[in-house]
Amino acid sequence: MNAQATFTHDAPPVLELENVSIAYDGKPVVHNVSFSINAGEVLALVGESGSGKTTTAQAIIGLLAENGHIEQGEIRLNGTDISQWSQRRLDALRGARISLIPQDPTSSLDPVKTIGSQVAEILDIHQRLPRAQRDARVVELLSRVGLSHPEQRAKQYPHELSGGMKQRVLIAIAIALQPALIIADEPTSALDVTVQKRILDLIDDLRREFGTAVLLVTHDLAIAAERADRLLVFRHGKVQEQGITAEVLSAPKSDYTRQLFADVPALSGRHRAQIRAAEDPVLVVENITHDFTLGGKNQAAFRAVDHVSFSISRGTTHSLVGESGSGKTTLARILLGFQKPDSGRVLIDGEDITRLKGEPLRQLRKKIQLVYQNPFASLDPSQTLFKVIEEPLLNFEKNPGGCTP
Ligand SMILES: Nc1ncnc2c1ncn2[C@@H]1O[C@H](COP(=O)(O)OP(=O)(O)O)[C@@H](O)[C@H]1O
Ligand SMILES: [Mg+2]
């Protein structure tokens, strides 16, 4: 995700759609769609079948069906509007500046040509390399996408390869000229889960290595959640919602998005955990319970804190509200390590502080601090303010630096 910052400095987005509407035979199916993708970024276009994902992807790359037409709007590639370009100009762009990784690897390769010659074709169309150099580049590309024995593989025909291998060949073709944008329309839906993962990892490597922008079209919400920097949710040909993946998932703006992702079983486990990790919680409170014994004959207990759980992300401010005696201060004292809870954990930067003792507990004070309720009771009246402020610095810093009264 950090690649974004490296590649986008001052440059226009690699792809920008503004108010794009598309119709088949005059009947609109995509309505006023706007979004952009920066270099090194993965945008997932998600939505149910028939929502217009493929239509949008095809329009970008100049592969709309004969009866399809871009009715309005701009499609800018590195700042240049290509929405009205002729087929001939778009053909020249395809493969060189924009590539497509198609859904079905089997129907996308020519069965009567070796895979090596199919990779060579894209190089021949756009570059004039001497033959030996071109063939070396073909082998290099096949190796780059993780095919073993690339020299021998280059001489094989598509039917001699598995589905995952064929998809790798198509990716080799897609990346041959290092395009600025790769459009992957359901690139792994024909593949089994382990091959799927390897293909998606490969796309991710290329994005990082070359700063390629990726439009990942998928109906698989778990893949979108795991792989995309940003999500674009489509419904009936309209943008329902878009935003940073973790934000869309943790706080969807529309009921539609909430429902869409609520039903994804894979999101309840590993993916949700990853999303939470992405939010970077600095404090995680798990199931904290604390009882005070009230003394007396039968040692009656009073439950001050009862199974409390929450987490706090870095850089955020939270309020703990409740009436007097509801357990706010007890909980705060537990978070500071002043009080051990009867059950539960308090993780600060991933470390359970309820188990700390001695020096590690003392070191915790560098990470978490309390501003007291009552200033009069909290400052030692016999010390100057300088002494009061100096004390924690002397406690933790070997050399607090040149401050003098
Ligand atoms: N060539 C075509 N002619 C007429 N309608 C089409 C054509 N291709 C797609 N459609 C219609 O356009 C809508 C969007 O389809 P599509 O872009 O394939 O959706 P998705 O990829 O999200 O499943 C659907 O209603 C579909 O039936
Ligand atoms: Mg589709």
Side-chain angles (χ1 to χ4, degrees), residues 24 29 48-55 65 67:
Y24 289 110
V29 295
E48 59 203 30
S49 174
S51 58
K53 303 182 301 293
T54 293
T55 299
N67 59 337

Side-chain angles (χ1 to χ4, degrees), residues 34-101:
S34 299
F35 65 86
S36 65
I37 315 178
N38 291 314
E41 192 178 40
V42 178
L43 177 75
L45 176 52
V46 301
E48 59 203 30
S49 174
S51 58
K53 303 182 301 293
T54 293
T55 299
T56 303
Q58 287 173 339
I60 294 165
I61 199 167
L63 288 176
L64 263 184
E66 293 268 309
N67 59 337
H69 185 246
I70 299 170
E71 303 278 286
Q72 65 157 33
E74 293 200 352
I75 298 174
R76 289 190 288 269
L77 185 66
N78 292 118
T80 304
D81 181 16
I82 59 168
S83 65
Q84 302 305 321
W85 278 23
S86 67
Q87 204 55 50
R88 180 196 283 260
R89 284 181 88 187
L90 288 170
D91 288 347
L93 209 62
R94 211 174 314 120
R97 306 267 310 283
I98 312 179
S99 284
L100 180 73
I101 300 172

Side-chain angles (χ1 to χ4, degrees), residues 233-287:
V233 182
F234 250 47
R235 190 190 192 190
H236 304 322
K238 292 186 181 135
V239 176
Q240 181 78 23
E241 174 158 1
Q242 62 177 311
I244 293 165
T245 303
E247 289 176 8
V248 171
L249 293 180
S250 60
K253 289 196 188 74
S254 73
D255 287 343
Y256 178 74
T257 308
R258 190 171 304 121
Q259 279 165 16
L260 197 66
F261 282 95
D263 300 335
V264 183
L267 278 177
S268 52
R270 191 164 62 91
H271 297 288
R272 281 246 192 277
Q274 280 171 350
I275 291 155
R276 268 195 230 116
E279 285 168 15
D280 194 13
V282 69
L283 173 67
V284 177
V285 174
E286 280 175 5
N287 226 358

Side-chain angles (χ1 to χ4, degrees), residues 195-229:
V195 181
Q196 194 174 72
K197 182 183 180 311
R198 276 192 240 126
I199 296 290
L200 292 168
D201 285 347
L202 175 61
I203 295 174
D204 206 45
D205 288 347
L206 300 167
R207 174 188 68 78
R208 231 175 296 133
E209 193 172 332
F210 302 120
T212 316
V214 179
L215 176 62
L216 179 64
V217 179
T218 181
H219 70 276
D220 188 328
L221 301 170
I223 286 180
E226 189 180 346
R227 301 288 172 166
D229 299 300

Side-chain angles (χ1 to χ4, degrees), residues 287-294 299-308 325-328 330 334 341-343:
N287 226 358
I288 292 290
T289 296
H290 192 68
D291 295 332
F292 288 111
T293 47
L294 298 175
Q299 288 282 304
F302 166 68
R303 179 147 291 187
V305 179
D306 193 357
H307 296 286
V308 171
S326 61
K328 302 184 297 296
T330 304
I334 290 169
D342 291 317
S343 76

